[in-house]
Amino acid sequence: MYVDELVELLGQLGQPKYRAGQIFRHLHSGITAFDEMTDLPKSLRQTLDDQCYIADVKIVRRLQSQIDGTVKYLYELYDGEWIESVLMKYEHGYTVCISTQVGCRMGCSFCASGLNGLLRDLTASEMLAQIMAAERDNNIRVSNVVMMGMGEPLDNFDQSIRFLKLVSDDNGMNIGLRHISLSTSGVVTGIRKLAEYNLPITLSISLHAPNDALRQSIMPVARRWSVAELLAACKEYQQVTTRRISFEYALIEGVNDSKECAAQLAKLMHGILSHVNLIPANPVKENTFRKPDKQHILQFRAELEKLGVNATVRRTLGADIDASCGQLRRKEKEVM
């Protein structure tokens, strides 16, 4: 809850306004029970426990990479649904990749998150809880967040915005918006709506193909909005925010990794302040997609750079623990 919402609630309970700040700070410190808020009167703690609940997640599975220390979490929510989150360590600190939905309705053919469709949206508090659980479990402070786990953030727009405001609140977790990335499969209406908020986050576009025919074959959302419509929305977004946009491009062997694809992709990037993030495709047993070999990946990047595109190859983390979205949840469900 926002502080002003807590003020309203406490007013209904006959409590002074300053209690709202106390409770807000407790909620964002990782406390999971009202009884732990010992600076509140016991009667108020009991009332809050009777009338409210604190969103939390329970660790069902925890896998830690022996290669790079990446930690993959399978979390259980209050209603028994499961989501995934990943904690990654970089030189600059810890980054958590969070989910925004239980499942996903986008249906991208290379992703395991949406294989069973969308079950429900997460609340902003459930998004926050993923970060807090990782911090408690590892006794660390998270400095960066990527909204790139299960789900489409712009398909859960209001709660995603609410999360961004809460996580960056000075009296809460205080993670700066410039340290947060939001990834979308290309929901054009959502991108335009997001521009109205003019938040200094990093917008990441899951592009994955440089033309309509190819993109439509692997991403159903492309049947709703063409590449031209998507890029037009990105340019409008950039005019408002002046922020560089990251374009995610999963390299799939024999699908989108040709020299011609590189040339088409480079042409699309002209006129946009952008960075292309090349991602070697993760194998998912439900399809036959495979990543190209390392040499071919480097050749694709070199071709882009020759054509004036700023591109990097994303470092693969947690390869030994199925750290990609949706894989752990689906695997666990299959053995139940």
Side-chain angles (χ1 to χ4, degrees), residues 108-126:
C108 299
S109 58
F110 50 83
C111 178
S113 292
L115 289 172
N116 292 322
L118 174 67
L119 296 180
R120 73 170 176 86
D121 291 332
L122 295 186
T123 65
S125 295
E126 288 171 326

Side-chain angles (χ1 to χ4, degrees), residues 24 48 96 124 195 325:
F24 187 87
L48 291 172
V96 171
C325 304

